Amino acid sequence: MKELVVISGKGGTGKTSLVAVFAALAGSVVLCDADVDAADLHLVTQPRILETHDFVSGHEAQIDLERCTRCGSCRQWCRFEAIDEAFRVEPLLCEGCGVCAHVCPEGAVEFFEKACGLWHVSETPYGPMVHARLGIAEENSGKLVTLIRREARRLAENRRIDLILTDGPPGVGCPVIASIGNADAVLVVTEPTVSGRHDMERVLALADHFRVPAAVCVNKSDLHPQEAHRMAKEARKGGAHFLGFIPFDPVVTRSQVDGRSLVEYGETLVVRALQEVWNRMRALLAAPLEADLKASE
């Protein structure tokens, strides 16, 4: 079983559209949307939800006003100012640190596990999908990413599916780290701009740090061909496999508005380019990528 995680140094580079096309081309695949802070793979895969589960993580303080003597210790020590003058806890401000419970002389503060979001198992036209949405202003997104990746792997094992396609979060922070750990390969989707090159370099450095083999493709490459070729050269120099250039095509925006995968619009220019990128990526997944990585060191 192999897991390919599609990532980028920033949002909006086209990761989700690319994953949806790969899913259609792969034939048999488990989809995983690890961008739990802003999940959107469901917008172009038309999932039918089969299961919904609470994501429970962290704690939230609650003050028993009958036992509370209003001594003020909790308000004094709460650095997040989450306790108001009526000694009620504001859920959006409470960080669950527990200091209020520790300093309360009456033991009037209770800590409860809290539901931070939901995760789902769905069926799509391209195969099963595990996806989630973190609650507003909630944390522990890395933990939720780990959970849905684990469920995607369990689903793949149960259905004997050999490939997991994961739509990863943007950036290089905790959710990205949680999404690429123990993955077989990452595909970095970038754009031909100076900031795009900088983001590509950061995320490639992250993949290299965790010893995950990396490949790169440049989206909207014809908007700045010179920069696109410069980025391809930089990617190869950094030890990554360069898989190709993807041209700008207005049909991408149309597919997003319609909520459909790009492959449903026929053999467009962008779909042909993505077919070539996928064929190269599939060949890499079948090869001993770990050996390639060591050889590039």
Side-chain angles (χ1 to χ4, degrees):
M1 182 190 305
K2 297 290 180 71
E3 181 183 12
L4 170 64
V5 183
V6 181
I7 56 177
S8 64
K10 61 178 285 294
T13 60
K15 293 186 293 85
T16 299
S17 296
L18 185 145
V19 169
V21 172
F22 282 3
L25 298 175
S28 179
V29 66
V30 171
L31 292 170
C32 176
D33 191 347
D35 189 2
V36 298
D37 290 289
D40 55 8
L41 186 57
H42 63 283
L43 298 177
V44 290
T45 54
Q46 303 169 2
R48 178 172 59 90
I49 295 177
L50 305 177
E51 304 174 21
T52 297
H53 305 271
D54 286 329
F55 169 57
V56 178
S57 180
H59 293 78
E60 184 175 284
Q62 194 172 84
I63 298 175
D64 184 345
L65 296 179
E66 293 185 359
R67 287 194 292 170
C68 176
T69 62
R70 279 69 170 174
C71 70
S73 294
C74 56
R75 296 192 68 215
Q76 177 186 348
W77 285 93
C78 180
R79 62 178 297 184
F80 305 104
E81 300 181 354
I83 304 170
D84 63 20
E85 294 180 356
F87 291 91
R88 292 185 175 87
V89 178
E90 171 53 57
L92 293 180
L93 296 178
C94 179
E95 291 289 321
C97 67
V99 70
C100 54
H102 180 73
V103 301
C104 179
E106 304 299 328
V109 182
E110 298 182 12
F111 253 32
F112 298 95
E113 283 192 322
K114 62 177 179 176
C116 299
L118 299 171
W119 63 275
H120 315 278
V121 177
S122 298
E123 198 67 48
T124 78
Y126 315 108
M129 180 169 77
V130 184
H131 51 121
R133 181 175 292 277
L134 200 63
I136 296 172
E138 297 292 358
E139 297 185 354
N140 294 318
S141 54
K143 185 176 180 180
L144 180 54
V145 169
T146 300
L147 185 153
I148 63 170
R149 286 186 67 209
R150 182 176 67 241
E151 291 299 320
R153 181 165 292 274
R154 181 185 62 81
L155 195 58
E157 290 172 350
N158 290 343
R159 299 200 185 188
R160 298 183 178 180
I161 296 174
D162 294 330
L163 178 62
I164 301 171
L165 277 179
T166 298
D167 185 7
V172 293
C174 177
V176 181
I177 293 170
S179 73
I180 70 173
N182 295 319
D184 294 282
V186 297
L187 174 58
V188 180
V189 184
T190 187
E191 296 172 327
T193 63
V194 174
S195 62
R197 176 154 46 91
H198 173 68
D199 293 331
M200 179 191 73
E201 291 169 353
R202 291 199 311 156
V203 79
L204 285 177
L206 182 70
D208 180 67
H209 177 79
F210 288 100
R211 301 185 60 80
V212 180
V216 173
C217 64
V218 180
N219 195 17
K220 307 173 189 174
S221 58
D222 49 345
L223 298 184
H224 195 335
Q226 184 179 3
E227 181 64 27
H229 284 278
R230 185 181 296 116
M231 294 174 72
K233 183 178 179 180
E234 288 295 323
R236 293 189 182 102
K237 184 178 179 181
H241 301 271
F242 185 75
L243 302 188
F245 302 103
I246 303 168
F248 173 78
D249 194 331
V251 74
V252 176
T253 302
R254 181 181 167 191
S255 74
Q256 294 169 345
V257 173
D258 294 344
R260 298 162 60 191
S261 173
L262 283 167
V263 294
E264 299 182 45
Y265 296 86
E267 197 171 327
T268 61
L269 188 65
V270 67
V271 169
R272 287 197 296 270
L274 285 170
Q275 174 79 66
E276 294 178 4
V277 170
W278 170 244
N279 288 340
R280 293 171 184 138
M281 189 72 247
R282 183 170 55 184
L284 285 176
L285 287 170
L289 284 170
E290 294 81 0
D292 291 347
L293 181 67
K294 291 177 182 178
S296 68
E297 292 180 346

